[in-house]
Every structure is written in structure tokens, then in C-alpha cells.
Amino acid sequence: MLAYRDYLRLLPKTELHCHFVSTLSAARLISLADRYGVELPTTDPEELFAYDDLADFLVAFRAATDVLRTSEDLATTAYDGVRAAVIAGNLRYREYGVNPQYFAARGMGYREFLEPVIDGLRAAERDLGVGFRLVVAINRRESAGSAVELVEQMISHPYPEVVALGQDDLTPENTEDPGRFAEAYALAKRHGFHLTAHAGETATASAEDVRVAVDVLGVDRIDHGYRVLDDPELVARLRERQLPFATTPLSTRALSGWALDPGHRIARMIRAGLNVSVSTDDGVFFRTDIGREYSEGLFSFGIDAEGAKAVALAGIDGAFCDSDEKARLRAAFHAEFLALDALLEPGAHAAAPA
Ligand SMILES: [Zn+2]
């Protein structure tokens, strides 16, 4: 018999909101920093990964991009990150946010950065059966013009695995302001890329940022999106459309201080009937993995087994892969659900009723 938390950990999963750099293990981050003489504030993971807010975390995140310097660093990180997620939480498919602008700033070209990442992920797909796609993300510190140049690179160097444009980090004014990059999004859309954006995440963000991402940029998915709850009309519209939200429970605890309980915004979004999947966001920095997002996050939200399976399936609905791959994933998930349901301890349920 399986206890409910183990059941949640063993459910088959996808992950749609995962920053590539954050799939580094803490041990590799510390050893690469040592090899390249990159100064870390501390080599004690307890302190290294303690932040006061999003801006504080982003300083650490940007430093970590500095330790991935060679093709081998990138390919090995890619491969090992998949392996770790299969062990931690039965990962079956993952989409990665990648930030070529961070690497360009250090002299690494678009293809020089992406090809070893793709090679490492392809090797992992071959060995472990975990499919993947990449979302090229605009770094919001950079200008709107630089974002257009990034999309031009996506167009002139096509890879079948690179299927979408996103945006992350914060503007120099520490805002989200997704509409700033409307020209880059329009160009990507004209060339057939899917669109997503980090919106409605931070304390200074609002439901209006989510609305702008949907109505002005035309995104087909939202990363985070928690502030949407402050606009009931928008919630109703996005529920009707079943627009996917790729949320990240444990990183909200670290950055927003929100308690993981049934009153959490993500739990309320699920109960409101929105299309919600869960992901790690930045695994190494928030000391989480895809298993814990379910066994701690969904568990603490009071989500029962039916709800957890719906979240896992939402992670297929919202994916940017083709319909054949989605159909294969759905069939595999349903088969595993049957086996896991048969093993679930009778009467097992989440921490507190929602
Ligand atoms: Zn993110």
C-alpha cells in the first residue's frame, strides 16, 4: 500500500516551467564555481539558497549562469538534470526556459549555447524516455530591441526542439511589464512559435500584467499568474478558455512567504477551475524537485488524488509539443494512474480538506 505522499511523488509528471540553469545540482554549482574561480557568497547550501525576495534570488541566478562555460558543462548539466528528476518524481516530459542573452553577455553565441543543451537533453531522452522542448526566454533586464534581435536568431537558426518564446527576470525598474516586448512577441507569433510569459507573479505585479500577456501579447500559456485571482472577470474568461497556467508552489514559499495551505493562491486557482499544472521553476535555488512540488505542494494545498491526477494531465494539455506526443503521454499517464490507484492506501487523503 502507498501512503498518499508517496503516491503523489510516484505519479507520472511533466514540467512546463523549469529554467535550464536551475537544473544544476547544488554540488555541481559549487564545484564549477570553484573550478572557474566564480565567487559564491558562501559554499554552505543552507545559506547560499536563502533569499529575501525575487530581486535577491535573481542576483544568485545570474551568478550561476556564470559557471556554465563549456559545451561539456552544458550537456552534462542537461543530462544529469533529467536523470535526477526521473528519480525524484517520475518525470516524463519537460520544457525548459533558456536565456541566450545571459550567455551572449559572456561571449557565448546563440548556437554555441543551445546545441550542447539540446545534445544533452536528446541523450537523456534516448536513455530515459523523457521528451522535451525549449522556450527561449527574453531577459526583461534587456531592451525591447534586444528582444527582437533574440527572436530574429530563433528564426534564422531553427531547431525542432525550440518551439516557443517566453520572458522572465524583471525589468530594470523591477517590474514585469510584459507589454514592453510586444514587437518581439508579434514577430515570434508570425513565425509560428508558441508564446508564454512570466506574469502576475511578484508583489508589485497585478492581474493587469496577466491580462496584457493574454490580450496584447497573445500568449498561449502563463507562467505563475497568481494575481489573476484579483480580477474575477479575467478568471472566468481564462477558465472558459482553459488557458494553461504553469505554477510553481515551492518557489512561492521562498519568494513570497506564502504558506503552503489550502488558502494558497495556487490552490484557489485550482478550485476556481483554471487549467493549472505545477513545476519547480528553479529547482537548485529553491531546493525543490518535481516530486516535492506534488508531495509537499499539492499535499499541503489539500488536493486529493483526483485533483492531483488532473494537475498532472494539465501538464500535458499546456505543453508545446505536438498532438501525437501528447496522446502518447496521456495514454502512459492513464495506465500508470490505474496501477497507482490500486496501490493507494484506502482512505488516504491530502493534509486538509480544501
Ligand atoms: Zn520562472
Side-chain angles (χ1 to χ4, degrees), residues 17 19 198 224 281-282:
H17 182 161
H19 299 276
H198 282 50
H224 302 296
D281 203 358
D282 296 285

Side-chain angles (χ1 to χ4, degrees), residues 2 23 42 50 58 81 86 114 125 134 137-138 161 164 180 214 221 231 242 252 254 257 283 292 302 309 340 350:
L2 275 178
T23 66
T42 161
L58 287 169
V86 169
L114 278 184
E125 180 170 20
L134 299 182
I138 295 165
E161 293 89 352
R180 182 176 298 198
V214 173
R221 191 165 83 206
D231 181 347
Q242 284 295 291
T252 67
R292 289 183 57 200
K309 286 184 284 186
L340 288 167

Side-chain angles (χ1 to χ4, degrees), residues 146-286:
S146 160
V148 171
E149 285 166 19
L150 180 63
V151 175
E152 285 167 349
Q153 295 218 293
M154 294 169 71
I155 295 163
S156 53
H157 305 298
Y159 297 94
E161 293 89 352
V162 175
V163 294
L165 178 70
Q167 55 173 288
D168 56 32
D169 207 317
L170 293 171
T171 68
E173 300 81 43
N174 285 332
T175 62
E176 292 183 346
D177 193 12
R180 182 176 298 198
F181 304 101
E183 190 186 346
Y185 273 70
L187 180 62
K189 196 183 183 94
R190 280 203 299 282
H191 284 82
F193 289 102
H194 292 285
L195 305 174
T196 182
H198 282 50
E201 175 188 13
T202 62
T204 55
S206 68
E208 179 63 9
D209 290 308
V210 178
R211 196 197 63 74
V212 167
V214 173
D215 292 341
V216 177
L217 302 182
V219 297
D220 25 29
R221 191 165 83 206
I222 291 281
D223 292 307
H224 302 296
Y226 316 124
R227 308 281 162 185
V228 72
L229 291 171
D230 302 330
D231 181 347
E233 183 274 330
L234 186 59
V235 170
R237 194 149 63 88
L238 300 182
R239 174 177 52 227
E240 172 73 24
R241 224 182 112 179
Q242 284 295 291
L243 187 94
F245 286 82
T247 71
T248 65
L250 271 67
S251 74
T252 67
R253 181 172 60 187
L255 292 178
S256 310
W258 294 341
L260 293 176
D261 63 29
H264 193 284
R265 280 178 180 254
I266 297 172
R268 288 161 56 202
M269 288 165 71
I270 293 171
R271 290 203 303 274
L274 293 170
N275 184 306
V276 175
S277 62
V278 298
S279 296
T280 52
D281 203 358
D282 296 285
V284 67
F285 297 104
F286 300 124

Side-chain angles (χ1 to χ4, degrees), residues 66-122:
D66 196 21
V67 306
L68 294 171
R69 298 199 175 180
T70 68
S71 295
E72 200 202 330
D73 295 342
L74 291 164
T76 309
T77 296
Y79 188 97
D80 290 355
V82 176
R83 197 172 170 276
V86 169
I87 295 167
N90 198 6
L91 181 75
R92 296 309 180 83
Y93 173 90
R94 184 147 77 178
E95 291 182 4
Y96 298 84
V98 289
N99 295 83
Q101 288 165 310
Y102 284 121
F103 292 87
R106 297 209 324 269
M108 193 183 278
Y110 182 81
R111 292 192 297 172
E112 197 186 347
F113 164 59
L114 278 184
E115 285 178 8
V117 172
I118 292 172
D119 285 349
L121 294 174
R122 275 189 193 141

